[in-house]
Amino acid sequence: MEAVKCLSGGASLEANAESVLRAITPSLDPTRHKGQAGKIAVVGGCREYTGAPYFAAISALKIGADLSHVFCTEGAATVIKSYSPELIVHPILEESYNISGVNDEGKRDISKKILSEFDKWMERFDCLVVGPGLGRDPFLLECVSKIMTRARQSNVPIVVDGDGLFLVTNSIELVSGYRLAVLTPNVIEYKRLVQKVLGCDVNDQNTHGELLSLSKQIGGVTILRKGKSDLISDGEKVQSVSIYGSPRRCGGQGDILSGSVAVFLSWARQCNLAAERESTISRTNPTVLGCIAGSALLRKAAALAFEHKKRSTLTTDIIEHLGQSLEAISPVS
Amino acid sequence: MEAVKCLSGGASLEANAESVLRAITPSLDPTRHKGQAGKIAVVGGCREYTGAPYFAAISALKIGADLSHVFCTEGAATVIKSYSPELIVHPILEESYNISGVNDEGKRDISKKILSEFDKWMERFDCLVVGPGLGRDPFLLECVSKIMTRARQSNVPIVVDGDGLFLVTNSIELVSGYRLAVLTPNVIEYKRLVQKVLGCDVNDQNTHGELLSLSKQIGGVTILRKGKSDLISDGEKVQSVSIYGSPRRCGGQGDILSGSVAVFLSWARQCNLAAERESTISRTNPTVLGCIAGSALLRKAAALAFEHKKRSTLTTDIIEHLGQSLEAISPVS
């Protein structure tokens, strides 16, 4: 089965996204126990943002992960917990706003405590999503940098979106050369990344070549450039996902995508692709497979939600269609 | 009616779980008043966990208990109350995190206050569920140990799950010899329990004999070992429940089970099994009957939810099918 077609050298072909999704989605086996279908953690949620980390974390569950955690500030935690009893929410992050009177030593202590709280959990996670609703508080971002460094040391994959991309664009060494990192920039985030890493403006005449260069320049980090077509590259080749989709651009869809990519890349890393030995799927980077599947699923769910709700479509409507979309592409039986 | 079949000596037969459920479910009689169908209390809910105690407590109500209480920390209480106006939530527990500046004497005072708050309520409860979302804070667990001791002195049955099993595994004397205790370990919790109590690793060649030994060793405490088939023993015999079920392993299903077992064992203790005099049901330990019925109901509800939601099934979806499942097995009229 030639499921993922591509040309090297910058040109791309549309990925056979549905085949990828089917190949990496694990079969449901009654002998498996809790956790084996995936344990995801989202790092995000601050004074201003509570919806984004919720969207990412609940999407992971609705796709089939067994456990979904959120690490956020205390104020955000109360709200995120109240959105859904299904999530495990850790109120461990701190913002400058709440510790303005604390001196440098005190801040170091707080930072240490945050890291040690996170360390208790980290090794359990199959994938981390860093960024949804993270905000841009310098102290909080400094702590999250340390969290990312720890995750990297433990070989836990990291999907970076939203304000996580702001952090990473300014500190590219956090992900540089880490093959288990995925960046999911939108148009504006991509522009900043290109400017910072390639030192030039986005070149619309050489979209594929530029994405390839960008990924290579960051040491083979996988990049999912969101747009009318989603473009995906790990520096080896560029693939696109254009099927389905909706014209509605309500905020929050990127959060669904980051949670979905986290689940699918975990599955792609775990699954036995032996049956696909003859295809290019088994030779494709699991982070790339995760991006292809996540992109296709979001686009399908967004299309279904838009059919029902038209202009009124919100992110929660799309989340409600994740299960049906997954079932349509990769039926349980 | 030979509803519960079993062989002694370690071998087991499948329990006739639907008959058990029908035999112990009380008839709905307009002359009865509030509370007679069951008053359940869940001890759990801390900084990180609010979903688990909610799942256990709301499941008890959805099955037919009249009143369902939760005893948790103050922060957790606000969130759990917000999930549902049906629950009575007592914000009485404390974690080290919030009392780090308090000295030993102060901590003793706090512990005393928690216990005296709990004492006001305890005798009203038909069953306690200890563990869903309890966390592992040492101070909190110390207080919960005292709560369990009080409940035991008052002959209130206790279902122990989640972090309650962590507590009990390390302090087996809390339940040892208490015939009204039920432990509901999953694969990992069971492994820890076997290692601690029997001093060996789990033996998959002698599943039934091992469960029998484990229960005997803890003095006849009833154990429900969760898995593809649920295995139940009070040290006398082993019975299994394998009907229905779903391959989805999302976190939270164990919480539904603990709340369900609490209700059913309360009913089994109260009901008049005279009509079953000739059957083995009337000769079976009510805690075992509660486990059989609770297991069957969860498995039925999970199966129904999975039919609708497939991979996307979450614990809240299963809870929404409890009523329909109960009605399917044991119709009101």
Side-chain angles (χ1 to χ4, degrees), chain B residues 83-125:
Chain B
Y83 290 147
S84 167
E86 317 278 358
L87 305 175
I88 301 162
V89 185
H90 306 257
I92 66 164
L93 299 181
E94 278 291 358
E95 288 174 270
S96 307
Y97 194 90
N98 290 319
I99 53 168
S100 54
V102 179
N103 64 17
D104 285 353
E105 202 191 324
K107 283 182 182 166
R108 271 194 298 277
D109 288 346
I110 292 168
S111 173
K112 261 187 209 164
K113 195 174 164 190
I114 291 169
L115 215 59
S116 87
E117 284 289 317
F118 183 77
D119 276 346
K120 291 181 198 167
W121 295 91
M122 189 185 55
E123 304 250 346
R124 310 185 194 190
F125 298 132

Side-chain angles (χ1 to χ4, degrees), chain B residues 26 32-40 60-61 64-68 124-127 262-263 266-267 270:
Chain B
R32 285 161 68 100
H33 58 78
K34 184 173 77 177
Q36 289 186 308
K39 299 181 289 301
I40 305 301
L61 285 181
D66 286 340
L67 292 164
S68 192
R124 310 185 194 190
F125 298 132
D126 298 301
C127 188
V263 175
S266 305
W267 287 350
Q270 287 165 3

Side-chain angles (χ1 to χ4, degrees), chain A residues 152-174:
Chain A
R152 188 173 172 167
Q153 284 163 354
S154 301
N155 282 314
V156 177
I158 311 175
V159 177
V160 186
D161 189 44
D163 290 320
L165 288 169
F166 170 81
L167 170 62
V168 158
T169 301
N170 294 323
S171 309
I172 201 74
E173 71 282 0
L174 285 171

Side-chain angles (χ1 to χ4, degrees), chain A residues 163-300:
Chain A
D163 290 320
L165 288 169
F166 170 81
L167 170 62
V168 158
T169 301
N170 294 323
S171 309
I172 201 74
E173 71 282 0
L174 285 171
V175 292
S176 194
Y178 187 44
R179 299 275 296 169
L180 293 175
V182 174
L183 314 183
T184 57
N186 61 21
V187 173
I188 294 165
E189 290 154 350
Y190 184 77
K191 191 178 161 190
R192 279 197 214 112
L193 204 54
V194 166
Q195 285 169 340
K196 193 82 179 193
V197 174
L198 299 181
C200 61
D201 278 329
V202 168
N203 177 359
D204 288 329
Q205 303 310 307
N206 183 25
T207 312
H208 295 175
E210 183 181 78
L211 179 60
L212 211 52
S213 303
L214 182 64
S215 174
K216 269 186 194 151
Q217 188 68 31
I218 316 177
V221 162
T222 297
I223 299 171
L224 193 174
R225 180 191 171 165
K226 297 181 277 195
K228 184 162 175 278
S229 290
D230 293 329
L231 296 178
I232 298 152
S233 180
D234 62 350
E236 297 291 318
K237 56 195 179 188
V238 177
Q239 294 180 79
S240 65
V241 178
S242 314
I243 47 166
Y244 315 122
S246 136
R248 187 78 170 93
R249 292 290 175 267
C250 53
Q253 296 184 56
D255 307 311
I256 301 179
L257 182 68
S258 63
S260 307
V261 169
V263 176
F264 285 118
L265 84 75
S266 305
W267 287 350
R269 289 188 77 208
Q270 289 167 1
C271 71
N272 180 0
L273 289 174
E276 310 289 336
R277 203 173 299 157
E278 299 308 308
S279 82
T280 49
I281 291 184
S282 62
R283 296 192 300 273
T284 302
N285 192 338
T287 55
V288 170
L289 295 176
C291 287
I292 292 170
S295 167
L297 185 70
L298 169 62
R299 296 172 77 99
K300 173 82 176 170

